[in-house]
Amino acid sequence: MAEAGSGSLTVVGLGPGEAHWLTPAAQAAIDAATDLIGYGPYLDRIPERDGQTKHASDNRVEIDRAGHALRLAAEGRNVAVVSGGDPGVFAMAAAVFEALEAGDPAWLSLPITVEPGITAMLASAARAGAPLGGDFCAISLSDNLKPWEVVTARLEAVLKADFVICLYNPISKARPWQLRAALELATRHREAQTPVIFARAVGRPDENLRILTLAEALEAAASADMATLVTIGASSTKLIPRPGEAAPWVYTPRSVTKSPSATSQGRT
Amino acid sequence: MAEAGSGSLTVVGLGPGEAHWLTPAAQAAIDAATDLIGYGPYLDRIPERDGQTKHASDNRVEIDRAGHALRLAAEGRNVAVVSGGDPGVFAMAAAVFEALEAGDPAWLSLPITVEPGITAMLASAARAGAPLGGDFCAISLSDNLKPWEVVTARLEAVLKADFVICLYNPISKARPWQLRAALELATRHREAQTPVIFARAVGRPDENLRILTLAEALEAAASADMATLVTIGASSTKLIPRPGEAAPWVYTPRSVTKSPSATSQGRT
């Protein structure tokens, strides 16, 4: 049994599914932990071993999970909180620091480490080609934690300024219409032919990558789910057709030649 | 000698410095390559081995390097183009697809793979806490490939819309003033106390993380370099002080409560 006060907390990114995208540092953090805390499906990816306890939880109680992790670490356990992808991108790291700030001041002395991971937008981009070749942004479409007007104001800003846009948490049973609304907003600023990528479960056996036009994506919005990362191309994003059955490559050239005013006008 | 047509090209992300952030998939791609192509300092990270040829190049000829890689692959070599961080984020992947599109149509049949890596903004965020807890964006401050007016228009858009902002390529000998100009623009939209992170060489022996206020960052701009990743917090980004000498944690809460209008006004 570890001595009280000797505990630690590591927030670990597992990457998007395949062990071959798990960094050695993340693997070492998992190996060193006495306790693993996370959403059940993420914990299921980690083989059981003696001396290590798994604490599975529901996906929607991040703050409770973070508090539980901090309490265990304060009791002297070596705790790893696991997230899919990168823990700092719409995952557990922010919840841990929220719980730290609101919690027992003694927790502030705990050694806390965040181990980065391959986030879904990087994995999805790699599979498609190089869609993030220019400036880009990441927006969570979930309005559980922010008003929908904030989401649309942000979308509008980055559509006008011609960023490539990655949408996390695009849709769920409780939020069925937001992705279509976001894509409709996009049609006011981007051509109907703009490439859109629906990347589902990248790195898992059921991986599915769809290269669509914005017009097609609008019709297909209901087929996305919480495991889908949606990338909307910039005005310069283009396709390179390939011979045979292969999907085209998608890439965004590094150079921008058009003036900002050419992209800051709505198309209504 | 490999048969013509049996070659392949992989664009590999090495992550930010430490081998413990190199994914097993990226390591396997390096191991399988007959030829490694990249900027010298990245190639230097990879141990020499028999049967593998390193082709080092200057950092500013990405498109030539990409064409060279494609020609070697078309001759039957198994080529790995290596980038620091993630190859799709302001690195080699987009250059490879530009060269592919402009090059020999026979190259379109080549098997090309992009192996993602930990990009600097994720590594820097992990070291600082969870600054990317909300919506965020990545902007290259280099105006080699886009007009400066495009950079400022994009900065203005994401400052008004209250994104966390990660600045890649903040400064170089040929571009000494852009970072200060970007931070000056930020002071018109964000409080002087907004946390700014200067993360230099994260994952390398000379790693240096500085947690500043926006006002301090403006004064310190000239101390950044091409190895520095600058993160400007959103209006909600905050610090958690720690006991003793430890730097404060920086994090951005997941929740947004203020209305977008509260952040869409300039502060001039």
Side-chain angles (χ1 to χ4, degrees):
Chain A
M1 177 110 186
E3 196 181 306
S6 66
S8 65
L9 178 62
T10 307
V11 193
V12 181
L14 298 180
E18 291 180 22
H20 74 224
W21 280 340
L22 179 70
T23 71
Q27 182 66 62
I30 291 166
D31 293 345
T34 56
D35 296 78
L36 299 176
I37 295 186
Y39 177 46
Y42 299 139
L43 289 183
D44 290 344
R45 290 199 218 158
I46 302 167
E48 303 277 345
R49 75 161 174 81
D50 283 349
Q52 190 172 66
T53 308
K54 288 185 180 178
H55 308 262
S57 59
D58 183 85
N59 199 22
R60 286 180 296 176
V61 287
E62 285 97 347
I63 199 75
D64 296 345
R65 200 188 301 161
H68 181 204
L70 285 159
R71 275 190 302 278
L72 282 176
E75 288 166 11
R77 311 289 295 173
N78 296 309
V79 180
V81 174
V82 301
S83 280
D86 181 87
V89 177
F90 309 121
M92 281 302 296
V96 164
F97 289 101
E98 285 171 30
L100 178 70
E101 188 179 41
D104 185 339
W107 294 352
L108 293 170
S109 304
L110 283 171
I112 300 179
T113 309
V114 180
E115 271 305 335
I118 305 290
T119 182
M121 94 185 138
L122 301 184
S124 156
R127 290 290 205 239
L132 308 181
D135 300 325
F136 63 92
C137 65
I139 298 177
S140 170
L141 275 196
S142 171
D143 55 356
N144 292 339
L145 295 165
K146 64 191 167 196
W148 180 246
E149 311 84 73
V150 171
V151 178
T152 54
R154 289 181 176 175
L155 277 170
E156 193 105 41
V158 291
L159 284 163
K160 285 182 179 166
D162 207 13
F163 283 76
V164 176
I165 302 168
C166 298
L167 302 176
Y168 282 74
N169 306 322
I171 204 164
S172 76
K173 281 197 183 120
R175 299 180 294 97
W177 54 265
Q178 281 85 343
L179 176 58
R180 191 178 160 95
L183 292 167
E184 268 171 0
L185 194 56
T187 63
R188 291 190 223 149
H189 299 277
R190 304 263 161 106
E191 302 280 354
Q193 295 305 308
T194 304
V196 172
I197 304 162
F198 278 23
R200 188 179 181 284
V202 170
R204 301 211 308 247
D206 53 337
E207 171 174 326
N208 182 21
L209 190 78
R210 283 184 288 166
I211 313 295
L212 306 170
T213 64
L214 178 54
E216 289 166 349
L218 198 59
E219 295 313 307
S223 66
D225 65 11
M226 283 300 274
T228 307
L229 191 287
V230 175
T231 301
I232 304 173
S235 65
S236 60
T237 303
K238 48 170 132 173
L239 303 181
I240 306 177
R242 284 196 282 176
E245 300 290 300
W249 294 114
V250 185
Y251 90 99
T252 303
R254 299 165 303 150
S255 296
V256 175
T257 46
K258 74 173 64 167
S259 74
S261 64
T263 58
S264 66
Q265 305 303 319
R267 299 172 37 79
T268 45
Chain B
M1 176 112 187
E3 196 181 305
S6 67
S8 65
L9 178 61
T10 307
V11 193
V12 181
L14 298 180
E18 290 180 23
H20 75 223
W21 280 341
L22 178 70
T23 70
Q27 183 65 63
I30 290 166
D31 293 345
T34 57
D35 297 77
L36 299 176
I37 294 185
Y39 177 47
Y42 298 140
L43 289 183
D44 291 344
R45 289 200 220 157
I46 301 167
E48 304 276 345
R49 75 161 172 80
D50 283 348
Q52 189 172 66
T53 308
K54 288 185 181 178
H55 308 262
S57 60
D58 183 86
N59 199 23
R60 286 182 296 177
V61 288
E62 286 97 346
I63 198 76
D64 297 346
R65 200 188 301 161
H68 182 204
L70 285 159
R71 276 190 301 278
L72 282 177
E75 289 166 11
R77 312 288 295 175
N78 295 309
V79 180
V81 174
V82 300
S83 281
D86 181 87
V89 176
F90 309 121
M92 282 300 297
V96 165
F97 288 102
E98 285 171 30
L100 178 70
E101 187 179 40
D104 185 337
W107 294 352
L108 294 170
S109 304
L110 283 171
I112 299 177
T113 309
V114 180
E115 271 305 335
I118 305 290
T119 183
M121 94 186 138
L122 301 185
S124 155
R127 290 291 204 239
L132 307 182
D135 300 325
F136 63 93
C137 65
I139 297 178
S140 170
L141 274 197
S142 170
D143 55 356
N144 291 340
L145 294 165
K146 65 190 167 198
W148 180 246
E149 311 85 71
V150 170
V151 177
T152 53
R154 288 180 177 176
L155 278 170
E156 193 105 43
V158 290
L159 284 163
K160 286 182 180 168
D162 207 13
F163 284 76
V164 177
I165 301 169
C166 298
L167 302 177
Y168 282 75
N169 306 321
I171 205 165
S172 75
K173 283 198 181 117
R175 299 180 293 99
W177 54 266
Q178 280 83 345
L179 176 58
R180 191 177 160 94
L183 292 168
E184 268 171 0
L185 194 56
T187 62
R188 291 189 225 151
H189 300 276
R190 305 262 160 107
E191 302 281 354
Q193 295 304 309
T194 305
V196 172
I197 304 161
F198 279 22
R200 187 179 182 284
V202 170
R204 302 211 307 247
D206 53 336
E207 171 172 328
N208 181 21
L209 190 78
R210 283 184 288 166
I211 312 294
L212 306 170
T213 65
L214 178 54
E216 290 166 347
L218 198 57
E219 295 313 308
S223 67
D225 63 12
M226 281 300 273
T228 307
L229 192 286
V230 175
T231 301
I232 305 172
S235 64
S236 61
T237 302
K238 49 169 133 174
L239 302 181
I240 306 177
R242 285 195 281 176
E245 299 291 298
W249 293 115
V250 186
Y251 90 98
T252 303
R254 300 165 302 152
S255 295
V256 176
T257 47
K258 73 174 64 166
S259 74
S261 63
T263 58
S264 66
Q265 305 302 320
R267 298 172 37 81
T268 43

